[in-house]
Amino acid sequence: MRLFVGLDLPSEMREPLALLCRGLGPVRWVPAANYHLTLRFIGEVAPDRAEEVDFALASLRVPGFPLRLGGLGVFERNGRIASLWAGVDRHPGLDRLQAKIETALQRAGLPAERRRFSPHVSLARLESPLTPTIAAWLQANNLFRTPEAAIRHFTLFRSYLGKLHPTYTVEAEYALESTFIPS
Ligand code: ATP
Ligand code: MG
């Protein structure tokens, strides 16, 4: 099974995100139901390994924290734009959660993640040079920000890759501690 750990986004963030996602012609917009923030991609694992992952995640004790999305960016691959995303205001609570998850998963026997944590919410997949239309969209929406929302749990997702869009299902949810790191 293909797994990743992430945050499903609070409802007050989904609507402003969905309103952004228009006006670009033929791009594969991420369906609003799929909006998420990946904390740790795990990939394909056997069911018994998945159980160990679940056990490791369930043992974490991490405080809740506020989250706010803001700004837009692109990931490039081979000189082309591969995705458009909304940025995330860095907060020590988010970084602490990501670090604890990484440590827990390594202790459970997964190989270390080599890439630096770069939190974002993917909005569109494409494969295109930076066209004037995309540049204009980035510029027009550059001041995008969502309201701040409290994060009180994180999620183990299962991903089923599809022709057009993947489907994500919730394997498990893990509550964060009620102590809350303020903004
Ligand atoms: P698709 O691959 O069809 O575009 P997706 O990337 O959303 O869909 P997955 O590939 O299952 O679906 O990835 C789930 C999440 O993990 C996504 O947020 C994705 O960006 C992230 N992810 C995928 N592969 C990696 C990787 N190698 N390293 C870090 N994050 C990854
Ligand atoms: Mg992918």
Side-chain angles (χ1 to χ4, degrees):
M1 48 214 288
R2 185 179 178 94
L3 300 177
F4 68 98
V5 185
L7 303 178
D8 62 18
L9 294 183
S11 53
E12 55 265 57
M13 292 186 179
R14 290 178 177 271
E15 185 161 349
L17 285 171
L19 290 173
L20 262 186
C21 293
R22 50 178 66 169
L24 268 187
V27 309
R28 260 192 312 149
W29 292 113
V30 170
N34 279 6
Y35 292 155
H36 69 279
L37 189 166
T38 298
L39 294 165
R40 172 54 143 94
F41 181 70
I42 295 174
E44 206 54 52
V45 292
D48 54 334
R49 174 50 59 94
E51 245 174 70
E52 288 161 10
V53 163
D54 173 51
F55 190 75
L57 295 175
S59 73
L60 289 179
R61 298 288 170 266
V62 187
F65 56 88
L67 183 76
R68 186 199 291 273
L69 309 183
L72 298 173
V74 304
F75 283 142
E76 291 177 76
R77 205 180 315 127
N78 307 322
R80 296 165 83 79
I81 295 182
S83 75
L84 307 175
W85 43 260
V88 177
D89 284 5
R90 280 316 256 274
H91 185 280
L94 176 66
D95 290 336
R96 179 169 343 169
L97 175 60
Q98 181 271 332
K100 293 266 192 177
I101 290 169
E102 181 60 31
T103 310
L105 293 183
Q106 286 182 25
R107 246 191 264 123
L110 295 189
E113 170 62 72
R114 306 193 149 270
R115 304 208 235 172
R116 200 153 44 99
F117 180 48
S118 106
H120 62 274
V121 175
S122 292
L123 300 178
R125 317 268 180 199
L126 55 165
E127 209 203 308
S128 158
L130 181 62
T131 61
T133 313
I134 297 172
W137 182 86
L138 289 167
Q139 178 116 54
N141 295 301
N142 194 35
L143 295 178
F144 171 76
R145 287 174 80 64
T146 65
E148 187 177 278
I151 300 300
R152 302 198 182 275
H153 70 274
F154 65 101
T155 302
L156 179 61
F157 290 100
R158 182 164 181 182
S159 172
Y160 300 84
L161 296 181
K163 277 225 172 66
L164 188 57
H165 300 292
T167 303
Y168 307 133
T169 60
V170 172
E171 282 292 309
E173 286 186 339
Y174 310 95
L176 297 174
E177 292 193 298
S178 52
T179 51
F180 192 83
I181 314 179
S183 31

